[in-house]
Amino acid sequence: MSRFWSKVVDGLTPYTPGEQVQMPNLVKLNTNENPYGPSPRAIAAMQAAVGDGLRKYSDPSNAGLKDAVARRFGLTREQVFVGNSSDEVLAHTFHALLKHELPLLRPDISYSFYPTYCSLYGIESLELPLNERFEVDVADYHRPCGAIIIANPNAPTGIALPLAQIEALLLAHPDQPVVIDEAYVDFGGESAAALLDRYDNLLVIQTLSKSRSLAGLRVGFALGHPDLIAGLERVKNSFNCYPLGQVQQAGAIAALDDVAYTEQTSQAIIASRTWLTLQMQAMGFDVLPSHANFIFTRHPQRDGAQLAAALRERAILVRHFKSPRIDQFLRISIGTDEECGKLVDALKAILA
Ligand SMILES: *Cc1c(COP(=O)(O)O)cnc(C)c1O
């Protein structure tokens, strides 16, 4: 506490990101980065955007990028919001759409930025426990509320909810915003974007950080009814009119348009995930069924924190959360086949 801080600052609980350490020969499987590089077309577009044009402010309406997102999903520009990372899009969403008289509903085990935004914006929320299989049970959400947010596939479990269950939520809450955070949807999930024409209470949020391998570029977007999007625009334009630079937008447009590259790299990650899951099971690990670019796994006889520490000694980073219910689990990002192989060899040595 500093005497210069406002009361709000004193009360915050900031999010702790996975560490970004520099180590020689590091196998970095702790922050769900994509092991394959961004689309070469995205790199070329960004190189072409570096020049005298940077003298001017970027387009505050982000028309070019919104149109690229709209093309990709068969929507109009008015149904698209873009931001400097999906974390920023999420922050504006909490601020603009999720604070109401009744509490926001969210799963107890999910993206830990959600409670952080609740504390930042003074939003009352109710944590609903995942069931014993670590799944969201939509029946639990059939209660009065101000809004709902769910990550699908969920993080850090990787478990996906079928679209029919999302639709049940939307039908049960026609007057509440229902936000689906689809950071990992391209690794085998079903996007709720298919439901946008029928539900004006649905907001879908995606990022270019995972399936487009552009975590360092910081681009995310939301899809929804023009009224929801207009609410986000009001908050954005009360905060920063130019959150996305020209280089960022050029790269994002090219990455979104290179559908074949995203498909090919995502399929490679799905194949590695299947291989790694079988290897882990053969070593005695329980692995939750993942539709994401990571697995969530525990060993019935080994302590999660100790396994993470032993891997770290071998220059392999995985994510361990000290939270109740999941403190025996490791979240392991899917790397290249070589990295997955190194992980399996290290675990065999540690378990032996
Ligand atoms: C990675 C992640 C994000 C954040 O993505 P950025 O666009 O990099 O900010 C949002 N939600 C979930 C569930 C994530 O795992």
Side-chain angles (χ1 to χ4, degrees):
M1 171 68 183
S2 152
R3 73 184 201 285
F4 301 116
W5 289 2
S6 69
K7 247 200 191 136
V8 175
V9 170
D10 191 36
L12 295 178
T13 316
Y15 178 77
T16 317
E19 46 180 350
Q20 295 289 353
V21 294
Q22 305 290 337
M23 251 192 238
N25 304 317
L26 180 67
V27 177
K28 191 170 176 304
L29 306 176
N30 66 331
T31 54
N32 299 341
E33 287 147 339
N34 194 315
Y36 304 108
S39 156
R41 293 192 204 171
I43 307 279
M46 288 188 275
Q47 282 165 341
V50 175
D52 183 61
L54 289 170
R55 188 171 61 75
K56 294 196 208 145
Y57 282 105
S58 54
D59 168 19
S61 73
N62 308 114
L65 178 52
K66 283 186 175 180
D67 287 348
V69 175
R71 268 199 297 285
R72 173 74 189 81
F73 292 91
L75 301 171
T76 64
R77 191 188 292 173
E78 291 67 37
Q79 292 171 288
V80 178
F81 179 79
V82 296
N84 187 334
S85 79
S86 71
D87 284 342
E88 185 184 271
V89 175
L90 282 163
H92 290 336
T93 299
F94 274 74
H95 206 175
L97 305 173
L98 304 187
K99 185 172 182 171
H100 299 279
E101 296 264 290
L102 290 169
L104 167 70
L105 303 182
R106 57 184 176 83
D108 63 337
I109 298 165
S110 191
Y111 189 35
S112 44
F113 233 129
Y114 304 157
T116 298
Y117 293 135
C118 286
S119 86
L120 177 61
Y121 296 119
I123 299 168
E124 199 200 322
S125 69
L126 192 62
E127 286 188 351
L128 300 178
L130 298 182
N131 70 19
E132 70 286 353
R133 289 185 304 277
F134 292 95
E135 298 158 344
V136 170
D137 187 341
V138 292
D140 297 339
Y141 292 72
H142 288 191
R143 63 171 84 203
C145 65
I148 295 173
I149 185 161
I150 287 176
N152 190 38
N154 197 11
T157 63
I159 294 177
L161 207 56
L163 218 47
Q165 296 189 32
I166 304 277
E167 186 158 16
L169 272 183
L170 292 162
L171 276 170
H173 299 279
D175 298 318
Q176 282 76 38
V178 175
V179 178
I180 309 297
D181 179 355
E182 296 188 344
Y184 301 103
V185 75
D186 295 320
F187 303 106
E190 289 176 280
S191 177
L195 303 174
L196 284 167
D197 286 346
R198 275 176 285 149
Y199 299 95
D200 65 358
N201 54 334
L202 169 64
L203 191 78
V204 174
I205 298 181
Q206 293 193 9
T207 174
L208 271 66
S209 296
K210 281 50 185 255
S211 63
R212 274 53 170 238
S213 195
L214 285 168
L217 195 64
R218 314 306 297 131
V219 179
F221 56 89
L223 314 170
H225 187 277
D227 288 352
L228 298 179
I229 300 303
L232 294 174
E233 291 290 344
R234 286 172 73 90
V235 169
K236 174 234 162 195
N237 289 323
S238 306
F239 176 84
N240 179 356
C241 286
Y242 311 100
L244 291 159
Q246 291 153 18
V247 178
Q248 214 178 356
Q249 294 189 69
I253 292 167
L256 283 161
D257 283 341
D258 200 348
V259 177
Y261 184 83
T262 304
E263 179 65 18
Q264 183 198 329
T265 46
S266 299
Q267 285 305 325
I269 288 167
I270 291 170
S272 306
R273 181 180 72 203
T274 304
W275 179 84
L276 180 61
T277 301
L278 291 170
Q279 296 294 314
M280 299 294 288
Q281 287 167 337
M283 286 185 278
F285 283 87
D286 299 325
V287 185
L288 299 189
S290 172
H291 283 84
N293 69 337
F294 58 84
I295 57 169
F296 202 49
T297 180
R298 74 179 152 197
H299 196 284
Q301 280 99 41
R302 297 301 183 109
D303 178 68
Q306 284 175 10
L307 280 176
L311 284 170
R312 196 192 164 93
E313 280 171 20
R314 291 166 167 79
I316 299 176
L317 289 191
V318 301
R319 190 92 197 252
H320 173 258
F321 298 93
K322 284 193 198 77
S323 323
R325 283 188 84 189
I326 56 168
D327 62 352
Q328 291 308 312
F329 280 85
L330 300 177
R331 191 196 69 189
I332 306 176
S333 311
I334 306 298
T336 59
D337 286 341
E338 191 194 347
E339 289 172 321
C340 292
K342 282 186 181 169
L343 170 79
V344 169
D345 291 345
L347 284 170
K348 280 181 181 157
I350 292 164
L351 294 176

